[in-house]
Amino acid sequence: MRKPILIANWKMNGSLHSNQALLVRMLAKLRPFRKTIDMAICPPFPYLFQVRDLLGYTGIALGAQNASRATSGAHTGEVSATMLHEMGCRYVLLGHSERRALYHESDDDVAARFQQVLSAGLIPVMCVGETLEEREQGWTMKVVQRQLQTVIDQCGMSGLAGSIVAYEPIWAIGTGRTATPEQVADTHRAIRQFLENCETGAGQSVRIVYGGSVKAANAAALFSSPEVDGGLIGGASLQADEFSNIGAALANTVNPVTSTLT
Ligand code: PEP
């Protein structure tokens, strides 16, 4: 049984003041779901320390938005996976489409970062997904498989099997446009089949989460398929009520009696 997980990607947003206000309200509202689902907050690097302290013993994990492909040394502006581990991170987002598109991270680059994250004892959240043009050409799985295969080639299937895969169609990220629940379920099923073909059992054990304009209003529908093990939430994770209602919708897939929308 895969435990669902909800991950907040704050991207490059926040301030000491606003983070505090957001988290105080959010943590209170997420409290009822802490045992039912896993949760993680990925703030920008400078706020890791602050968020770690605010999360305290809530059981909600800390995550980072990227990690360097280098271990240490002359890499100005980079942050190593070991440093993130020392800061208390449990998860690291890798291969986010904004990193790939705006900062030219290639599949090889992402795989090298993935290896560093694994070596530091952290859990990679491997983002994969296609452009709108690729979807319209019918190339979704070709693209997603290429992204996953590069990691398998560099880190082995055992590396990928220990990660979380985030299916994030690029055309749905920050656009307000979501994939339909059927598109999400079909793609997750195809990713599972690919993983299963690579290693027996991996298709059932790896958590595959969906990201792309998830909101409280569409969360229940997007999470309704058993293929979907949670969400990676960008914009809506900056609003306490939205994010906690998304958490309620996810918890509701496990425990409909105690998880109610607030
Ligand atoms: C993301 O940044 O991973 C994301 C899914 O963003 P949004 O929810 O804003 O589309």
Side-chain angles (χ1 to χ4, degrees):
M1 179 77 181
R2 300 179 301 267
K3 190 173 184 188
I5 181 164
L6 187 68
I7 305 171
N9 174 15
W10 285 1
K11 312 195 188 202
M12 197 172 72
N13 293 294
S15 66
L16 287 173
H17 181 75
S18 67
N19 299 344
Q20 162 103 23
L22 175 62
L23 275 178
V24 166
R25 184 169 172 86
M26 197 183 260
L27 294 179
K29 297 194 83 125
L30 290 173
R31 204 180 158 76
F33 318 125
R34 287 184 319 192
K35 291 211 167 66
T36 315
I37 59 173
D38 286 339
M39 291 181 264
I41 311 280
C42 303
F45 292 133
Y47 302 128
L48 284 171
F49 206 79
Q50 179 202 22
V51 172
R52 182 186 73 176
D53 283 355
L54 286 165
L55 292 177
Y57 295 101
T58 59
I60 299 178
L62 185 66
Q65 296 177 18
N66 205 355
S68 177
R69 57 178 294 162
T71 311
S72 65
H75 297 279
T76 305
E78 289 289 283
V79 175
S80 77
T82 320
M83 293 171 185
L84 297 174
H85 182 263
E86 195 179 17
M87 289 306 300
C89 287
R90 180 166 169 74
Y91 301 100
V92 183
L93 307 183
L94 291 172
H96 191 282
S97 61
E98 288 155 16
R99 298 300 314 173
R100 293 177 190 266
L102 303 175
Y103 300 98
H104 313 295
E105 287 184 14
S106 64
D107 290 336
D108 284 341
D109 212 352
V110 173
R113 291 166 195 268
F114 193 105
Q115 183 61 66
Q116 288 291 326
V117 169
L118 282 181
S119 302
L122 299 170
I123 301 173
V125 179
M126 173 68 190
C127 302
V128 295
E130 79 287 3
T131 63
L132 186 56
E133 194 190 347
E134 288 163 343
R135 173 160 281 270
E136 286 171 352
Q137 295 284 345
W139 295 344
T140 298
M141 275 316 291
K142 194 170 121 186
V143 171
V144 169
Q145 281 184 25
R146 189 201 70 223
Q147 292 167 333
L148 294 173
Q149 189 64 51
T150 316
V151 169
I152 296 169
D153 291 346
Q154 283 204 37
C155 310
M157 189 54 206
S158 60
L160 187 62
S163 74
I164 293 171
V165 172
Y167 171 56
E168 299 211 302
I170 296 169
W171 46 274
I173 297 178
T175 58
R177 179 176 176 171
T178 38
T180 65
E182 293 72 29
Q183 286 172 321
V184 174
D186 287 350
T187 311
H188 282 219
R189 195 174 301 111
I191 294 173
R192 267 187 216 297
Q193 189 58 58
F194 171 73
L195 296 174
E196 189 63 26
N197 293 345
C198 293
E199 184 179 283
T200 307
Q204 284 314 305
S205 63
V206 172
R207 288 189 284 190
I208 306 177
V209 302
Y210 169 76
S213 300
V214 179
K215 300 178 187 61
N218 60 22
L222 288 165
F223 297 152
S224 61
S225 163
E227 300 290 346
V228 181
D229 301 316
L232 175 53
I233 317 297
S237 70
L238 298 167
Q239 298 168 48
D241 291 0
E242 273 291 300
F243 189 68
S244 47
N245 284 341
I246 293 170
L250 185 59
N252 198 46
T253 64
V254 181
N255 190 347
V257 180
T258 54
S259 310
T260 48
L261 290 171
T262 52

